[in-house]
Amino acid sequence: MSFSLLYPLALVLLPLVGCFIYCKNRPKPIYFSKPEWLPKSYIRFDSDRWIVMGVFGLLVVTLATPYLYKPDANYHKKGRDLVLAIDTSGSMAQSGFDSLERFKSKYDSAIELTHHFIQKRHDDNLGLVVFGSFAYIASPLTYDLEGLSQMLHLMSDVGIAGDSTAIGEAIVQSIEALKHSQTQNKVIVLLSDGVHNAGSISPKDALMMAKKSGIVIYTIGIGKEYDMEMMHLIAQKSGGKSFEAKSAKDLAVVFEKIESLEPSPLRSNDTLNIQKLHFYPLFLAVVLMGILIFPYPSSKY
Amino acid sequence: MNPLSHILIRAKKDIYRYLSGSNLSRFLGHGYDFAELVEYRIGDDIRDISWISSAKRGEIYVKKMHEEKDLSIVCLAMIEGRMAVGNKYETLLQTVASIGYIAHYQHNLFGGYYSIDGVLQRVAPSKSHQTVEYFLEQLYSQNPLGQSLHYQETIEHLMEHLHPKSLIVLVGDFLDDVDLSLLAYKHEVIAIIVRSIDEEMPSYQSDVALIDPTTNQASSKILTPNAIKHYQKKLQQHDAKLTQHFNRHAIRFIKIYHPDEIVERLGKVLA
């Protein structure tokens, strides 16, 4: 764990603590009958002033907001920005894709395997695009894999975006989702079982846009009825690869292959596992203020 | 009203009211003890004629009394810088005024001494209340701040001045060591210790500069809770030693913290 400050500029106030010593008010003179009976004191320990100084110092440290973090989780992280474009057209409702569970639809198998895929993407920024007759961004790029998994289940369903297949729009929406990505390695994983038959944008135009943005598209054709040629073309032209998954087992293998692709370092400055510590100095400051307000008994004779 | 007049009126009022309760009558009574009946002779005071005895015997008789010798009360006001702490000086003035009025009420001689800049000043004794008031005026006009008093020298000077046996009332804070053994041997001595509560039980204050009232100079010492404990221990030791000294030499003493308690406390020591 490493230590850092969220607002280090606040520490410029810290030297002002010296003012409590050097800019002090002129002490109030009082007549004392027998000062010679007081013990010799070489250090002026005026507890009240030290407490006030402590409170000030601690409040400044609280303002600076100290925190602990894991540097490994930040700067040395490898990963990529990846958008999953999932086909939710009517054909995805067909069953028989999984040999073990015959009544499981292609969509359910794809979602389940996508979920597992997401769980292993610790170092990636992931986004989700759902498409059918039209396409929409179900989740922007995020580190929050748990949240993304939830969105996968909540924001998608067979037919949720219509029964047709708008691959061109799916690619465009995926490009849109990657628009703010700062990594050089931007990837779209396009998962479809059908033929482009809807939308105002052709896959060819979408592919050109993807190429212009430097986005690599991996295509996964599910089942046997997808437009293999187009899927190959999209993958090939964008610098990606096209995979074929005739069964749930094949799809699992495809995801494993995609997982093994070389990740790129992230350029995000966000930190992970932050443990903010500002409550500790704040608590101490409150305790010290309590001592000031309720002085210890020895001061009252 | 001028503060001095206030002090005098208050002392007079308190003393006369208190004495009417005759608590101090044994010591300050002005009655005469009956001695004998003698025939009237020229020069006898006609006020002493006992008319009843004269009527019974057919000759003029006068009552002869043991005339009580006048008591000389000498008050030494020990003025020094420390008297400026709290309300000590007001208490001292009130105490001196009270003693003076007691003496006046009892027809005793009252005189006073005080020391300023190391010189002992005297107010000649008399039975008049004007002496009390004059003495108070003198004391009131003094500024105790910056004054230091050498107890032993003052006591020695006082002994040189006082020849007849007197009742000496010393009024001061007795925070310095003092040896009253010789004075107590020759005279009857009463010590009235005037202190302030804050002086005996100082409270902790931050950001204060201590000033020695006897020199008017800032002290390098610091007031901390621990320093206060140390100071109080020293004070207790000093008072224990002082009490021992007073008891050994049969010196009656009282401690007064506030003008309100003067008469009652004086009653205890003078009774």
Side-chain angles (χ1 to χ4, degrees), chain A residues 31-84:
Chain A
Y31 289 110
F32 196 83
S33 285
K34 272 284 188 181
E36 58 265 40
W37 283 354
L38 290 169
K40 279 183 184 175
S41 179
Y42 300 102
I43 301 168
R44 188 175 187 95
F45 185 81
D46 186 342
S47 57
D48 277 8
R49 186 180 301 141
W50 284 103
I51 290 172
V52 170
M53 285 166 66
V55 168
F56 179 81
L58 287 165
L59 288 178
V60 169
V61 172
T62 305
L63 267 181
T65 320
Y67 65 92
L68 290 173
Y69 69 98
K70 274 186 180 171
D72 289 346
N74 183 17
Y75 302 109
H76 307 298
K77 197 176 145 185
K78 302 270 183 181
R80 66 203 145 184
D81 288 348
L82 189 149
V83 171
L84 289 162

Side-chain angles (χ1 to χ4, degrees), chain A residues 236-300:
Chain A
Q236 197 186 344
K237 293 278 182 188
S238 67
K241 279 186 178 177
S242 180
F243 302 95
E244 189 180 353
K246 287 182 179 168
S247 65
K249 199 177 167 185
D250 288 349
L251 188 59
V253 173
V254 169
F255 275 128
E256 274 174 24
K257 280 180 184 170
I258 294 172
E259 277 170 24
S260 66
L261 292 170
E262 191 185 346
S264 65
L266 285 182
R267 273 155 295 281
S268 169
N269 283 328
D270 292 337
T271 52
L272 286 178
N273 301 317
I274 286 178
Q275 193 184 340
K276 285 189 177 171
L277 305 171
H278 62 288
F279 282 106
Y280 297 102
L282 184 63
F283 175 75
L284 270 176
V286 170
V287 169
L288 288 180
M289 281 192 271
I291 292 171
L292 272 183
I293 297 165
F294 308 105
Y296 38 88
S298 59
S299 64
K300 289 182 177 179

Side-chain angles (χ1 to χ4, degrees), chain B residues 196-209:
Chain B
S196 86
I197 296 283
D198 288 341
E199 189 173 56
E200 293 206 344
M201 292 183 284
S203 57
Y204 167 64
Q205 299 172 55
S206 62
D207 247 356
V208 292

Side-chain angles (χ1 to χ4, degrees), chain A residues 221-233:
Chain A
I222 295 173
K224 296 165 188 171
E225 295 161 0
Y226 70 96
D227 187 346
M228 191 186 287
E229 197 180 326
M230 190 191 69
M231 294 290 257
H232 272 291
L233 188 73

Side-chain angles (χ1 to χ4, degrees), chain A residues 173-184:
Chain A
Q173 286 298 318
S174 300
I175 294 166
E176 186 67 22
L178 287 165
K179 200 164 81 179
H180 300 292
S181 166
Q182 292 178 335
T183 61
Q184 288 187 349

Side-chain angles (χ1 to χ4, degrees), chain B residues 1-168:
Chain B
M1 188 188 291
N2 158 331
L4 177 62
S5 306
H6 181 78
I7 289 171
L8 290 168
I9 289 169
R10 186 177 175 183
K12 201 182 282 184
K13 189 180 80 180
D14 287 351
I15 290 301
Y16 289 174
R17 189 172 59 193
Y18 190 80
L19 289 182
S20 65
S22 73
N23 287 331
L24 304 180
S25 59
R26 188 185 67 80
F27 176 68
L28 296 168
H30 55 95
Y32 293 86
D33 292 333
F34 175 76
E36 57 184 338
L37 272 173
V38 292
E39 279 186 43
Y40 176 78
R41 285 183 293 183
I42 294 166
D44 283 344
D45 191 339
I46 58 166
R47 288 178 298 184
D48 292 338
I49 292 169
S50 169
W51 298 107
I52 295 171
S53 303
S54 302
K56 279 181 183 174
R57 300 178 188 208
E59 288 177 8
I60 298 171
Y61 277 82
V62 291
K63 280 194 276 192
K64 285 288 179 188
M65 304 294 191
H66 285 301
E67 193 175 309
E68 197 170 79
K69 196 177 177 185
D70 285 342
L71 185 64
S72 175
I73 297 176
V74 175
C75 184
L76 172 64
M78 304 207 279
I79 301 173
E80 58 185 321
R82 288 194 299 262
M83 279 296 158
V85 175
N87 61 349
K88 278 167 73 178
Y89 200 55
E90 186 197 341
T91 309
L92 177 136
L93 294 176
Q94 191 83 42
T95 306
V96 172
S98 300
I99 294 165
Y101 283 124
I102 288 171
H104 169 69
Y105 185 83
Q106 305 293 346
H107 302 282
N108 290 315
L109 283 168
F110 176 78
Y113 288 87
Y114 62 95
S115 179
I116 281 293
D117 298 328
V119 181
L120 196 64
Q121 307 288 333
R122 176 174 180 254
V123 172
S126 86
K127 289 184 178 181
S128 166
H129 64 88
Q130 286 168 337
T131 305
V132 179
E133 282 140 23
Y134 176 72
F135 187 34
L136 257 292
E137 274 169 27
Q138 294 303 307
L139 295 181
Y140 184 74
S141 62
Q142 307 305 324
N143 180 9
L145 267 180
Q147 294 284 340
S148 58
L149 180 73
H150 300 286
Y151 276 31
Q152 221 49 52
E153 281 179 26
T154 308
I155 298 295
E156 281 166 18
H157 285 155
L158 186 67
M159 285 183 66
E160 284 170 16
H161 281 86
L162 291 174
H163 296 297
K165 190 174 179 181
S166 307
L167 171 65
I168 299 172

